[in-house]
Amino acid sequence: MKQISEFTGIPLAQEDDIGAITLPSFIQELAQRFEQREAVTWTSPEGIQTSWSYLDILQRSQQVAKALLSRGVTKGTRIGILISNRPEWLFCLFGASMAGATVVALNTFSTVPELKYQLKVADVAHFFFEAGIASRDFNSDLKQVSPTLFGETANFQLDPELPFLRSAICVDPIKASHGTQNWEEFLSTGDGFPDELVTAAASTADPVDDSLIFFSSGTTALPKAIRQTHRAATLQCWRTAKMFEFSDTERTWNANGYFFSGNFAMAFGTLCRGGCIVMLRYFDPEAAIELIEKQNVTSVIAWPHQEARLKDCKSWETADFSKLRRVVAGSPFRDHPSTNITWPGFNGYGMTETFTFVTVISGKAMEREGQGPVLPGNIVRIVDPETGVIVPIGQSGEIIVKGPTLTPGYLKYAPEDTFDREGFIHTADAGYFTGDGYLYWSGRLSDIIKTGGANVSPTEIDSIICQHPSVQTSHTVGIPDDSLGELVVSCVVAKEGHNIQDDEVRAFCKSYLSGYKIPRKVLFFDESDLPKTGSNKIKTSALRELAGNRLHQTS
């Protein structure tokens, strides 16, 4: 029996059922394997349903690569994607990768300041966007991001605040605004570009080259730009296919955007088996139910709060979900009268910095609890958060990780500020190991809030709230919630003589923060009520308990 809390997965070279591990070779392998099989289907905003085969995706991606290379894109050029769940996300991803570029996954929930920050910190040179999503108008947003480049009087001069940005391409054919280029016009710029140069550029991709950049809230006020490699992206897709036990008849609907690494891996893992991704641009509960029925969806990937909204729909009870066979354990789909789901589900532990899971338990193994054993190539330790010493088996401590899908680092952060001397990243999560190597996650050591599947930085929220003229201080915490995981709750002290209400604070936040970051509740306290240390720092755990009790009393 092992005595200390360190477990290592089998060597990566011994992992079975893994294919190509660069993005260009990944799509090339899939196109060669599955050719004319349906890979993607979606319904446009105009109601037109279109499907693409695996060969179609490869060919359209090659068109994107030609157009990018023809305008001077080279190895490592940053290409942004501000697109909802539609086929162009794949074309731009694989096309940019074939051109040697690094894809920056821009968050479609971003406000104008957040979008500008993402473009700036990632030094984006070219980016793809759609005209709008739901109530969002990205054409209008771009004019605010850079009037110099996209305003009505833009004359294609460079913007000193975004010095590397050269072009923006709208994937909607007739909706490009001033200073941007539409999709077909963009693709035509690659006509005549030599095929052999695309092949040559794609062949330069190395598994450990940067392939993607994701944004995730950290312990600072601004989101961190997380670099990820070709190997990390593709490995996790192949692993998802095994974890979900996908088949060649799989039809997967994903409720969330591909700019989240977990949704990227879980959706695109369907392609590893020759299945089909059924796309809906954004989460619309009624539309999703109709889609699941009409498209014979077999796998649903959604967070619990989204499934709760589906269940609240009028059409839920009478819907036919009889084709469903893969949903997570505890999903309301399992109790629906039309389903007979026998797949046990999955569980695991990971984060954006590890491109999702480093431990996984799925299928029949779900008979036991926990987050499962360590995946191949990874090393996971449990250490004392104060001393860094590895703790004994069964003792809780901080989870630290390194392995083949670990980020090479954050943009504009020194390695020593990210990793310890042995190359581990410290997760600020608590957990413990059993003697047979199963990880059990037992809570969060950090203050980061996990709500609806997204990481939210309290510091970022508090920095916005404190800009309100009536607010003296703000301290945001996560309160356990059955649906969202954690509820974002801001504890506010108003300035003396000022009267401010919950709705006023939340409305103020809407101008600066994405919807999932806006506090669900705002509680007001006197400064003397806040629990503090002797050095006048807020005791976060005590404040979380205080806020939870207040919510419980008022519910």
Side-chain angles (χ1 to χ4, degrees), residues 512-533:
Y512 301 95
L513 297 170
S514 300
Y516 63 89
K517 299 177 183 177
I518 296 170
R520 293 299 182 103
K521 295 288 184 180
V522 179
L523 305 177
F524 294 92
F525 294 84
D526 291 331
E527 184 71 32
S528 59
D529 293 334
L530 299 178
K532 297 180 180 180
T533 66

Side-chain angles (χ1 to χ4, degrees), residues 230-270:
H230 285 271
R231 179 174 68 172
T234 51
L235 264 179
Q236 299 296 46
C237 289
W238 293 114
R239 287 171 172 174
T240 296
K242 294 188 290 183
M243 177 176 71
F244 274 82
E245 300 175 3
F246 284 145
S247 73
D248 60 0
T249 60
E250 216 65 56
R251 298 181 67 80
T252 300
W253 170 65
N254 189 332
N256 302 286
Y258 307 138
F259 48 82
F260 292 129
S261 64
N263 299 304
F264 178 109
M266 287 190 281
F268 299 165
T270 302

Side-chain angles (χ1 to χ4, degrees), residues 381-399:
R381 291 175 178 172
I382 309 297
V383 301
D384 184 302
E386 298 295 329
T387 65
V389 174
I390 304 174
V391 302
I393 290 290
Q395 181 175 320
S396 183
E398 183 180 17
I399 302 169

Side-chain angles (χ1 to χ4, degrees), residues 48-64:
I48 302 171
Q49 184 183 332
T50 312
S51 295
W52 283 264
S53 71
Y54 283 81
L55 278 175
D56 289 335
I57 293 176
L58 176 61
Q59 291 165 0
R60 185 51 65 99
S61 300
Q62 289 169 332
Q63 278 186 281
V64 171

Side-chain angles (χ1 to χ4, degrees), residues 138-214:
F138 286 131
N139 276 314
S140 176
D141 287 354
L142 289 185
K143 294 174 185 178
Q144 298 179 64
V145 166
S146 178
T148 303
L149 295 173
F150 308 116
E152 297 299 335
T153 59
N155 58 3
F156 305 103
Q157 293 180 351
L158 298 182
D159 184 341
E161 294 190 2
L162 297 166
F164 298 103
L165 189 57
R166 294 294 181 269
S167 70
I169 300 97
C170 181
V171 296
D172 292 303
I174 58 173
K175 294 182 178 178
S177 65
H178 188 79
T180 66
Q181 189 175 34
N182 77 34
W183 181 240
E184 294 302 328
E185 182 184 0
F186 161 76
L187 291 177
S188 69
T189 62
D191 292 347
F193 193 86
D195 290 342
E196 57 267 28
L197 288 182
V198 175
T199 302
S203 69
T204 68
D206 189 271
V208 296
D209 283 346
D210 283 359
S211 69
L212 285 145
I213 293 169
F214 293 99

Side-chain angles (χ1 to χ4, degrees), residues 29-37 54 271-274:
E29 178 178 325
L30 296 181
Q32 184 176 8
R33 272 201 213 175
F34 305 120
E35 297 183 338
Q36 297 297 340
R37 287 187 65 89
Y54 283 81
L271 302 178
C272 296
R273 293 292 184 265

Side-chain angles (χ1 to χ4, degrees), residues 104-392:
V104 181
L106 300 167
N107 189 326
T108 58
F109 292 119
S110 300
T111 63
V112 170
E114 289 171 332
L115 176 57
K116 186 167 186 175
Y117 168 79
Q118 291 174 43
L119 291 170
K120 186 173 183 177
V121 77
D123 299 321
V124 170
H126 309 275
F127 77 99
F128 299 94
F129 73 101
E130 59 186 308
I133 306 171
S135 62
R136 294 294 303 276
D137 181 348
F138 286 131
N139 276 314
S140 176
D141 287 354
L142 289 185
K143 294 174 185 178
Q144 298 179 64
V145 166
S146 178
T148 303
L149 295 173
F150 308 116
E152 297 299 335
T153 59
N155 58 3
F156 305 103
Q157 293 180 351
L158 298 182
D159 184 341
E161 294 190 2
L162 297 166
F164 298 103
L165 189 57
R166 294 294 181 269
S167 70
I169 300 97
C170 181
V171 296
D172 292 303
I174 58 173
K175 294 182 178 178
S177 65
H178 188 79
T180 66
Q181 189 175 34
N182 77 34
W183 181 240
E184 294 302 328
E185 182 184 0
F186 161 76
L187 291 177
S188 69
T189 62
D191 292 347
F193 193 86
D195 290 342
E196 57 267 28
L197 288 182
V198 175
T199 302
S203 69
T204 68
D206 189 271
V208 296
D209 283 346
D210 283 359
S211 69
L212 285 145
I213 293 169
F214 293 99
F215 285 88
S216 180
S217 292
T219 55
T220 59
L222 293 172
K224 292 178 179 177
I226 302 169
R227 299 161 51 208
Q228 277 295 1
T229 65
H230 285 271
R231 179 174 68 172
T234 51
L235 264 179
Q236 299 296 46
C237 289
W238 293 114
R239 287 171 172 174
T240 296
K242 294 188 290 183
M243 177 176 71
F244 274 82
E245 300 175 3
F246 284 145
S247 73
D248 60 0
T249 60
E250 216 65 56
R251 298 181 67 80
T252 300
W253 170 65
N254 189 332
N256 302 286
Y258 307 138
F259 48 82
F260 292 129
S261 64
N263 299 304
F264 178 109
M266 287 190 281
F268 299 165
T270 302
L271 302 178
C272 296
R273 293 292 184 265
C276 178
I277 301 174
V278 179
M279 291 186 170
L280 187 64
R281 293 170 68 215
Y282 54 90
F283 180 64
D284 178 330
E286 290 288 357
I289 289 176
E290 182 180 357
L291 186 81
I292 293 168
E293 286 188 283
K294 288 186 175 181
Q295 289 294 327
N296 295 319
V297 168
T298 61
S299 300
V300 165
I301 300 169
W303 291 106
H305 68 287
Q306 293 168 322
E307 291 186 322
R309 289 186 61 190
L310 291 170
K311 189 177 180 181
D312 287 341
C313 289
K314 293 180 179 179
S315 57
W316 171 265
E317 291 296 335
T318 58
D320 179 8
F321 300 135
S322 58
K323 301 296 184 182
L324 270 183
R325 55 178 182 255
R326 296 187 216 292
V327 294
V328 297
S331 167
F333 281 109
R334 292 180 179 269
D335 299 322
H336 194 274
S338 69
T339 63
N340 181 27
I341 299 169
T342 59
W343 182 63
F346 79 97
N347 203 350
Y349 175 79
M351 53 186 175
T352 306
E353 285 83 351
T354 58
F355 215 116
T356 70
F357 300 109
V358 293
T359 73
V360 164
I361 181 172
S362 66
K364 294 179 180 179
M366 285 288 287
E367 294 173 355
R368 67 176 293 175
E369 297 178 342
Q371 280 63 51
V374 177
L375 286 170
N378 289 292
I379 305 174
V380 181
R381 291 175 178 172
I382 309 297
V383 301
D384 184 302
E386 298 295 329
T387 65
V389 174
I390 304 174
V391 302

